[in-house]
């Protein structure tokens, strides 16, 4: 493995995050994803390669390679703010695809007693992520498109892998938080919404967070010369109503108003 | 002011967050964990150190036992750099270390001037103050003769942020990347960037260093603080007085009026950086870590306040997590922290239509005031800071 192959490709490290898990967290956005969600707010995190972009007449590069020590230095800066609940959240992109490169970083963070979370779509074959299952304290798992054909067609995903992985997490009694990106065009289109409700009712003990997908990534799409798909805004009232429906399934749900 | 420490009850801190989030600008938080050791090291008795309060805005004071103006005169850190460019033979300044040496040469001259100002102030007899000041009766001396138990004075300061940013920009663009020469810099700051619009926009896009928890930035700030601390530690104005210095000062607009442009992209007359602040920081933890890593010992404790601009939505939606941030900040070891919780939208609207916002309050220096009572340029400073600060929310 060459030197740059062992480095970790990161687009952004965001400190003092309040919305990516419990407590105060530093969120690491890893570059590279296996899905293509049409509402993706971070299109710069899809490709596994560094990408040049153009914004306001300036050109720049999405993605910076960190070696382990550089990344750890950055993650340890807010150590004192993490307390007992906060810590590091690896997001992306799909963090489970990056665990092999991150393993020493994860090991060192755990040694320091720092809690580790991942924000994952969980559609990654078991053999890639399972060896690291106990390195992660909290799995923040997306619940997106559960209809098998639509999942493949729209996201390029495999819902059977997802269900198998959910079973692995549950079987190993891992901490899970479900996160539902809400939009009318895809995730809460009638049939899929029904599938989601049925799925959630089978996992009543797992807390849920819902949020409306947004167009905040629009500028990033432009900077990459990519077309974004227009998504109709979901109102606070509509989110409230969805939360009520989910609660009726006997689930515990919070609205994340980012 | 709320004095806080590692044992401050959670419910009291929660109450402070609720009060701060109303936008009243109070309370300012003072961290006992950092301030009391500084007072003890300075020679204040333990019993008195634990009872400290602040004088005008941020300067720790032992009430009833000390005499001496704590905000005597503001030191402008940028003046020495301005002197350097206007008076030095730039040909002889070949690297960044030499630049710093020359900066200290002019800074020392400025510090001598500060001492002259202090000495020119002759204390007058004050019987009434002496009656109420501990030590005068016991020593049989008037306050003007050094009768008080503690006789020391303090100076405030401005433009440390502009100085650090300018110096590090010179390091980057002149010595490291060689984009400009020192003569170019001189031309820019003396002509107020008249023919250097490109350089101005480059500097405005350059990250501002002051307030980043970066080892080099912290080391340079500390080096300048230590230099001033060493050269300005006492003065003889009839009696020998220790001098205290700090990184806060209310003159960031007044002292900046008419003051030449600087190589941090600041135009002539534009306000200096406010206390310890950096609206370009993406997280508040960054400036807290920066401020906490500075050493305020010896005499460097004459007020060192972090000044945060916070959008009301941000704090109101996240009060519990903001509380975690404050707890972490106390542990990290900030000196003092004050917060303006106000949105740029309200400020801009209030500037246009004052009648609609008769009760809009903002924090000014060590106190809060009605926004409508502020001068137009002060209103503008708050608006610009709020706008810059809100970028971090996106």
């Amino acid at each position: 493995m060459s030197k740059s192959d062992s480095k970790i490709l990161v687009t952004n490290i965001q400190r003092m995050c309040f919305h990516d898990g419990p407590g105060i967290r530093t969120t690491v956005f890893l570059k590279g994803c296996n899905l293509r969600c049409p509402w993706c707010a971070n299109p710069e995190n899809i490709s596994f390669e560094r990408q040049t972009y153009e914004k306001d007449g300036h050109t720049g590069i999405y993605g910076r390679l960190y070696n382990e020590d550089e990344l750890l230095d950055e993650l340890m800066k807010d150590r004192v703010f993490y307390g007992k609940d906060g810590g590091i959240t690896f997001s992306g992109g799909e963090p489970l695809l990056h665990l092999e490169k991150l393993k020493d970083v994860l090991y060192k963070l755990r040694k320091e007693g720092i809690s580790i979370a991942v924000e994952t779509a969980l559609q990654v074959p078991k053999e890639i992520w399972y060896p690291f299952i106990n390195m992660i304290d909290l799995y923040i798992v997306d619940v997106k498109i559960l209809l098998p054909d639509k999942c493949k067609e729209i996201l390029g995903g495999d819902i059977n892998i997802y269900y198998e992985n959910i079973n692995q997490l549950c079987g190993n009694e891992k901490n899970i938080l479900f996160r539902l990106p809400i939009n009318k065009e895809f995730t809460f289109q009638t049939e899929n919404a029904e599938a989601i409700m049925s799925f959630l009712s089978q996992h009543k003990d797992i807390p849920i967070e819902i949020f409306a997908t947004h167009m905040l990534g629009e500028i990033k799409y432009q900077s990459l010369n990519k077309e974004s798909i227009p998504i109709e805004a979901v109102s606070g009232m509509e989110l409230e109503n969805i939360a009520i429906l989910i609660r009726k399934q006997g689930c515990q749900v919070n609205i994340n108003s980012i | 002011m709320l004095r806080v420490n590692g044992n401050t009850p959670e419910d009291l801190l929660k109450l402070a967050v609720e009060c701060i989030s109303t936008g009243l600008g109070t309370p300012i938080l003072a961290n006992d964990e950092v301030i009391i050791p500084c007072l003890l090291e300075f020679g204040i008795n333990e019993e008195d150190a634990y009872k400290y309060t602040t004088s005008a805005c941020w300067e720790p004071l032992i009430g009833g036992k000390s005499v001496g103006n704590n905000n005597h005169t503001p030191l402008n850190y940028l003046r020495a750099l301005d002197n350097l460019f206007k008076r030095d033979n730039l040909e002889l300044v070949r690297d960044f270390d030499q630049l710093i040496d020359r900066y200290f040469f002019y800074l020392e001259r400025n510090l001598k001037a500060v001492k002259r100002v202090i000495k020119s102030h002759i204390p007058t007899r004050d019987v009434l103050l002496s009656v109420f000041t501990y030590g005068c009766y016991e020593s049989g001396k008037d306050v003007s003769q050094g009768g008080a138990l503690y006789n020391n004075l303090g100076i405030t300061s401005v433009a440390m942020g502009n100085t650090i940013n300018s110096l590090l920009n010179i390091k980057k663009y002149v010595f490291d990347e060689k984009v400009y020469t020192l003569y170019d810099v001189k031309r820019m700051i003396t002509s107020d960037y008249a023919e250097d619009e490109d350089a101005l926009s480059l500097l405005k896009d350059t990250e501002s260093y002051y307030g980043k928890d970066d080892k080099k930035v912290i080391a340079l700030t500390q080096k300048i603080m230590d230099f001033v601390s060493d050269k300005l530690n006492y003065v003889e104005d009839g009696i020998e007085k220790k001098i205290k210095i700090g990184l806060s000062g209310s003159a960031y607009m007044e002292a900046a009026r008419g003051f030449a442009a600087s190589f941090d992209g600041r135009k002539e007359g534009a306000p200096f950086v406010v206390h310890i602040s950096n609206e370009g920081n993406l997280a508040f933890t960054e400036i807290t870590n920066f401020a906490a890593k500075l050493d305020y010992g010896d005499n460097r404790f004459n007020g060192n306040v972090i000044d945060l601009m916070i959008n009301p939505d941000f704090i109101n939606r996240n009060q519990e997590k903001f509380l975690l941030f404050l707890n972490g900040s106390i542990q990290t070891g900030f000196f003092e922290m004050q917060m303006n919780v106000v949105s740029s939208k309200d400020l801009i609207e209030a500037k246009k239509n004052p009648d609609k916002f008769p009760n809009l309050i903002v924090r000014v220096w060590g106190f809060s005031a009605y926004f409508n009572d502020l001068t137009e340029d002060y209103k503008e400073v708050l608006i610009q800071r709020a706008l810059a600060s809100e970028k971090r929310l996106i």
Side-chain angles (χ1 to χ4, degrees):
Chain A
M1 197 182 265
S2 79
K3 243 185 170 179
S4 74
D5 281 348
S6 68
K7 286 192 172 183
I8 302 144
L9 189 56
V10 171
T11 46
N12 192 15
I13 297 174
Q14 211 168 301
R15 291 162 58 184
M16 199 173 159
C17 290
F18 288 176
H19 299 289
D20 297 328
I24 292 180
R25 313 190 74 86
T26 296
T27 302
V28 183
F29 291 88
L30 299 156
K31 192 159 166 34
C33 187
N34 57 333
L35 300 187
R36 298 291 179 269
C37 304
W39 60 86
C40 181
N42 298 313
E44 78 282 16
N45 293 338
I46 295 173
S47 160
F48 287 85
E49 305 292 327
R50 297 172 85 206
Q51 285 168 292
T52 52
Y53 69 83
E54 206 175 316
K55 195 159 67 178
D56 306 329
H58 297 289
T59 52
I61 292 173
Y62 284 130
R64 177 185 153 184
L65 287 163
Y66 282 79
N67 65 34
E68 285 161 18
D69 288 341
E70 287 168 336
L71 187 57
L72 273 167
D73 274 355
E74 203 56 33
L75 302 185
M76 293 307 282
K77 281 183 174 173
D78 282 352
R79 173 82 174 89
V80 70
F81 294 93
Y82 300 151
K84 64 180 190 344
D85 297 325
I88 312 297
T89 299
F90 290 97
S91 183
E94 173 49 69
L96 298 192
L97 293 170
H98 300 262
L99 294 180
E100 175 67 36
K101 279 186 179 182
L102 278 171
K103 66 182 175 193
D104 289 342
V105 172
L106 298 179
Y107 177 75
K108 284 176 186 163
L109 289 173
R110 289 193 68 78
K111 213 172 147 195
E112 287 287 329
I114 295 174
S115 148
I116 299 167
V118 288
E119 285 180 337
T120 172
L122 211 62
Q123 302 198 22
V124 173
K126 185 184 162 192
E127 59 272 20
I128 294 178
W129 70 274
Y130 192 77
F132 309 101
I133 185 168
N134 290 325
M135 304 285 265
I136 290 153
D137 302 288
L138 172 66
Y139 289 81
I140 302 172
V141 177
D142 290 342
V143 183
K144 304 200 237 212
I145 296 186
L146 301 182
L147 303 171
D149 293 347
K150 295 272 181 197
C151 178
K152 189 167 186 193
E153 181 195 324
I154 299 170
L155 309 182
D158 184 338
I159 207 64
N160 292 324
I161 292 179
Y162 179 79
Y163 286 135
E164 192 195 332
N165 288 339
I166 291 279
N167 289 338
Q168 290 300 337
L169 291 180
C170 294
N172 283 282
E173 296 183 348
K174 303 310 293 181
N175 278 328
I176 306 172
L177 168 69
F178 282 144
R179 188 176 268 185
L180 275 64
I182 310 278
N183 55 56
K184 293 170 201 163
E185 293 82 350
F186 301 102
T187 57
F188 265 67
Q189 173 272 343
T190 316
E191 278 177 50
N192 195 60
E194 283 167 9
I196 287 179
M197 289 301 175
S198 149
F199 172 74
L200 294 179
S201 68
Q202 293 163 36
H203 298 281
K204 287 180 186 160
D205 50 337
I206 298 177
I208 301 159
E209 206 173 84
I210 64 172
F211 69 97
T213 56
H214 50 70
M215 299 291 285
L216 291 179
E218 179 66 22
I219 295 168
K220 295 180 191 170
Y221 278 96
Q222 287 169 10
S223 74
L224 286 165
N225 208 9
K226 279 185 175 179
E227 290 267 323
S228 63
I229 293 174
I231 302 273
E232 193 187 331
V234 176
S235 70
M237 183 64 86
E238 286 169 305
L239 276 186
E240 283 288 348
N241 288 337
I242 290 170
I244 291 167
L245 283 178
I246 296 173
R247 273 186 208 113
K248 277 188 186 159
Q249 308 284 324
C251 304
Q252 181 204 327
V253 61
N254 276 314
I255 297 174
N256 191 342
S257 49
I258 301 166
Chain B
M1 180 181 83
L2 177 66
R3 282 178 40 181
V4 294
N5 57 58
N7 294 320
T8 302
E10 199 73 8
D11 55 352
L12 181 59
L13 262 189
K14 196 163 174 260
L15 202 61
V17 172
E18 282 169 20
C19 187
I20 287 163
S21 62
T22 62
L24 284 174
T26 58
I28 174 179
L29 305 177
N31 193 354
D32 290 352
E33 310 271 0
V34 178
I35 296 174
I36 291 173
C38 289
L39 295 171
L40 293 172
E41 187 193 344
F42 192 67
I44 306 292
N45 296 333
E46 194 173 7
E47 186 196 345
D48 295 334
Y50 278 86
K51 288 183 186 163
Y52 81 89
T53 175
T54 57
S55 48
C57 304
W58 317 277
E59 306 84 348
L61 171 89
I62 309 305
K65 294 187 177 179
S66 51
V67 161
N69 190 345
N70 263 349
N71 46 10
H72 213 292
T73 183
L75 168 68
N76 178 351
Y77 281 104
L78 201 52
R79 186 173 299 284
L81 192 57
D82 195 61
N83 293 157
L84 186 161
F85 275 100
K86 288 169 186 169
R87 297 180 194 172
D88 239 22
N89 180 357
L90 299 176
E91 205 65 52
L92 301 175
V93 182
R94 296 183 187 282
D95 58 32
F96 187 64
D97 289 341
Q98 285 184 358
L99 182 87
I100 296 293
D101 285 347
R102 296 306 294 162
Y103 172 74
F104 282 148
F105 171 78
Y106 288 103
L107 186 57
E108 190 167 0
R109 291 171 69 160
N110 287 328
L111 295 175
K112 283 180 182 158
V114 168
K115 275 197 180 183
R116 284 197 296 276
V117 171
I118 294 173
K119 279 185 176 177
S120 68
H121 179 86
I122 301 182
T124 50
R125 285 180 71 83
D126 193 326
V127 177
L128 189 63
L129 185 60
S130 300
V131 168
F132 288 105
T133 302
Y134 182 85
C136 292
Y137 173 78
E138 288 74 7
S139 65
K141 287 183 193 167
D142 184 85
V143 284
S144 61
Q145 299 164 318
L149 182 59
Y150 303 114
N151 291 285
N152 47 61
L153 50 86
I155 61 154
T156 56
S157 71
V158 290
M160 177 66 103
N162 304 86
T163 305
I164 296 294
N165 291 338
S166 299
L167 286 169
L168 291 173
N169 279 342
I170 293 169
K171 182 177 186 303
K172 177 180 167 78
Y173 292 120
V174 176
F175 296 115
D176 295 349
E177 296 178 9
K178 301 191 187 338
V179 181
Y180 301 115
T181 65
L182 288 176
Y183 289 102
D184 292 329
V185 176
K186 180 177 181 170
R187 182 190 65 245
M188 291 175 203
I189 63 174
T190 47
S191 70
D192 199 19
Y193 297 94
E195 290 163 16
D196 292 283
E197 281 298 321
D198 287 353
L200 190 62
S201 60
L202 175 73
L203 292 172
K204 284 190 171 157
D205 280 348
T206 305
E207 60 180 338
S208 75
Y209 304 95
Y210 188 63
K212 285 177 79 74
D213 54 351
D214 176 296
K215 282 177 193 151
K216 283 178 194 155
V217 181
I218 293 164
L220 184 59
T221 309
Q222 189 71 51
K223 193 172 176 177
I224 298 175
M225 284 168 77
D226 290 352
F227 183 86
V228 176
S229 168
D230 183 46
K231 302 287 177 193
L232 199 66
N233 51 13
Y234 83 96
V235 69
E236 175 88 41
D237 65 349
I239 49 168
E240 192 175 294
K241 287 178 179 169
K242 285 191 191 175
I243 303 178
K244 301 169 290 181
I245 61 167
L247 289 178
S248 323
S250 52
Y252 51 85
M253 291 182 59
E254 196 185 307
R257 282 190 192 112
F259 195 88
S262 40
F263 200 59
D264 54 345
R266 180 191 144 275
K267 295 264 284 180
E268 183 182 327
F272 293 137
V273 170
V274 177
H275 315 306
I276 304 173
S277 65
N278 182 347
E279 274 68 59
N281 278 349
L282 293 175
F284 294 132
T285 49
E286 187 154 8
I287 198 144
T288 311
N289 282 336
F290 165 83
K293 283 180 189 137
L294 295 174
D295 178 0
Y296 303 107
D298 295 330
N299 60 342
R300 297 178 289 268
F301 61 90
N302 198 40
N304 296 288
V305 71
I306 299 172
D307 191 289
L308 301 179
M309 292 296 288
I310 305 175
N311 185 279
D313 280 351
F314 178 78
I315 193 165
N316 287 323
R317 284 181 188 169
N318 302 294
Q319 283 203 5
E320 265 177 44
K321 296 223 173 174
F322 200 80
L323 194 60
L324 294 175
F325 162 68
L326 285 189
N327 267 318
S329 300
I330 295 167
Q331 275 186 59
T332 313
F334 72 88
F335 192 94
E336 291 162 327
M337 188 187 284
Q338 64 184 25
M339 289 157 260
N340 247 319
V341 177
V342 69
S343 72
S344 62
K345 189 169 162 272
D346 281 354
L347 294 177
I348 291 166
E349 190 61 28
K351 191 167 180 249
K352 271 193 221 151
N353 301 304
D355 298 347
K356 285 191 189 164
F357 292 84
N359 298 319
L360 180 62
I361 287 173
V362 289
R363 181 155 189 113
V364 184
W365 310 343
F367 54 88
S368 291
Y370 287 109
F371 184 71
N372 289 348
D373 290 346
L374 302 178
T375 57
E376 293 302 303
D377 53 355
Y378 199 99
K379 287 179 183 173
E380 196 54 35
V381 168
L382 286 168
I383 289 171
Q384 291 309 322
R385 291 188 66 211
L387 282 169
S389 160
E390 284 160 13
K391 280 188 190 156
R392 83 179 101 219
L393 298 176
I394 295 171

